[in-house]
Amino acid sequence: MQTFGRMLGMGAAALLLAATAVGAGTESTSPAFFVTLQGENAVAEEPAGSLWPAGAGMTYDSVSPDGGLVLATSSAEGRVYAFDARSGKSLGTVTVGKRPKGVKISPSGRVAIVANEGAGTISLLDTGALKVTRTIPVGKMPHNTAFSPDSRWAYVTVQGEDAIAVVDVDKGVKVDTIPVGKTPHNVDISGDGETLYVANNASEDLAIIDAP
């Protein structure tokens, strides 16, 4: 593991995955991107300026690879709001765990993971049926997730344990824990699936590790 001291401060870490775009690298040619608005209890589509009513404490969002589905977490309500990304139509809500934060739709588009910070779990969602298929304990205060390119593995920041939880998505179990810096907040993965980048809030650094 490589650690770069103070390359990412808390403000940068908080913004790392604050908005999700549809454009290059997806099947959609739309330049739209989506932002959760806590003060408005809504999801905003930009640059169109559309506002989609949602729940209290909207936190993170994710867009499916085909650009058709937006999922957004309501931390105050313990729910995920689903929208048709092209029309803004509400597709309903899914009840997950306590204080959900990060949500990520897999590269396959079939599965999503929600990090339930207040419950110490992640919820696996079937994106077609919009329902929870499994709840997996991962550790204290999970916050966000990245998928491997083949959608087989998920990597979850576990803030309360200064670690990354490695989850076998097909089997629905946590299989490993990787120590990182203090209070790992957000995580991303390289395009080839070989390297993880972890923004550590309390130690104000960036951990670069080989993806198992």
Side-chain angles (χ1 to χ4, degrees), residues 110-144:
R110 295 191 295 269
V111 178
I113 285 180
V114 180
N116 303 307
E117 192 174 83
T121 64
I122 59 172
S123 298
L124 265 60
L125 273 62
D126 180 323
T127 57
L130 290 178
K131 68 177 183 179
V132 174
T133 59
R134 189 165 302 199
T135 300
I136 305 168
V138 292
K140 186 179 179 181
M141 292 180 66
H143 189 80
N144 219 331

Side-chain angles (χ1 to χ4, degrees), residues 12-205:
L15 290 171
L16 186 61
L17 296 174
T20 306
V22 177
T26 73
E27 295 177 13
S28 171
T29 58
S30 169
F33 64 95
F34 307 90
V35 183
T36 54
L37 300 177
Q38 292 189 1
E40 301 284 348
N41 295 337
V43 174
E45 179 193 8
E46 298 294 349
S50 302
L51 207 62
W52 304 343
M58 299 304 296
T59 310
Y60 282 88
D61 61 29
S62 183
V63 183
S64 60
D66 66 0
L69 175 68
V70 174
L71 298 179
T73 52
S74 166
S75 295
E77 297 178 1
R79 294 194 289 180
V80 171
Y81 282 73
F83 299 91
D84 183 307
R86 297 181 177 92
S87 69
K89 177 183 177 181
S90 173
L91 302 177
T93 63
V94 184
T95 299
V96 289
K98 183 179 179 180
R99 206 163 65 247
K101 292 297 181 74
V103 57
K104 186 63 63 68
I105 300 175
S106 67
S108 71
R110 295 191 295 269
V111 178
I113 285 180
V114 180
N116 303 307
E117 192 174 83
T121 64
I122 59 172
S123 298
L124 265 60
L125 273 62
D126 180 323
T127 57
L130 290 178
K131 68 177 183 179
V132 174
T133 59
R134 189 165 302 199
T135 300
I136 305 168
V138 292
K140 186 179 179 181
M141 292 180 66
H143 189 80
N144 219 331
T145 305
F147 278 95
S148 61
D150 62 3
S151 303
R152 171 69 189 276
W153 306 100
Y155 306 97
V156 185
T157 55
V158 184
Q159 296 186 123
E161 299 181 10
D162 299 336
I164 295 290
V166 182
V167 175
D168 184 322
V169 177
D170 292 346
K171 295 181 179 179
V173 294
K174 184 178 83 168
V175 297
D176 200 3
T177 300
I178 305 171
V180 288
K182 294 182 179 180
T183 319
H185 195 70
N186 284 323
V187 58
D188 210 343
I189 192 167
S190 59
D192 59 11
E194 295 185 358
T195 307
L196 295 172
Y197 302 90
V198 185
N200 302 304
N201 263 9
S203 52
E204 295 187 333
D205 56 27

